Amino acid sequence: MRRFSCAFLLLAASAQAQVTDTVSYLQRMDTDGDGKVSVEEYVQWMMYAFERMDRNGDDVLSADELPGGKGKPIPREQQRQTIIERFHKQDANGDGFLSAKELSAPPR
């Protein structure tokens, strides 16, 4: 599951947009333009891949919708919670937002 989550997050990042630097990445995620990424903005950005993969729209990624066509089903809420957990791990200063520096840091 953890291996899939990492691949899923990478897919989300690459599927949304091709950005060449961290500042551009932050700007794409920062929908309210305040110069930082909230947990809500992060979840919205990262759930893009889930939405694309959920071909039947049932809010569950079934085995046939997962890379390789196998694996345990992943409900939308479970994936959302995984993304929120990763956000909080990446929020090094604990202020509830991700800066460009935190976005560019290796996963924690």
Side-chain angles (χ1 to χ4, degrees):
M1 174 70 175
R2 181 167 291 292
R3 192 171 50 207
F4 173 73
S5 292
C6 290
F8 185 79
L9 292 174
L10 289 174
L11 174 63
S14 65
Q16 272 277 322
Q18 297 296 320
V19 290
T20 57
D21 59 67
T22 305
V23 173
S24 297
Y25 192 55
L26 182 136
Q27 289 171 341
R28 294 293 303 256
M29 293 175 79
D30 179 20
T31 57
D32 66 7
D34 66 357
K36 54 192 174 185
V37 176
S38 69
V39 67
E40 294 85 8
E41 291 168 326
Y42 187 78
V43 168
Q44 180 181 354
W45 178 270
M46 299 305 280
M47 287 300 290
Y48 174 81
F50 185 99
E51 293 160 5
R52 297 280 305 221
M53 294 168 67
D54 184 18
R55 293 184 301 270
N56 64 5
D58 67 352
D59 287 336
V60 176
L61 295 182
S62 55
D64 65 315
E65 295 170 321
L66 294 172
K70 57 185 174 181
K72 292 182 181 179
I74 302 172
R76 179 181 182 80
E77 185 57 27
Q78 178 184 334
Q79 185 60 31
R80 186 178 168 284
Q81 290 302 317
T82 298
I83 291 169
I84 290 170
E85 289 171 17
R86 292 187 184 276
F87 174 91
H88 290 296
K89 287 180 183 177
Q90 206 63 20
D91 181 14
N93 66 4
D95 69 352
F97 296 94
L98 296 181
S99 64
K101 182 178 179 181
E102 289 168 326
L103 279 171
S104 67
R108 297 170 50 130

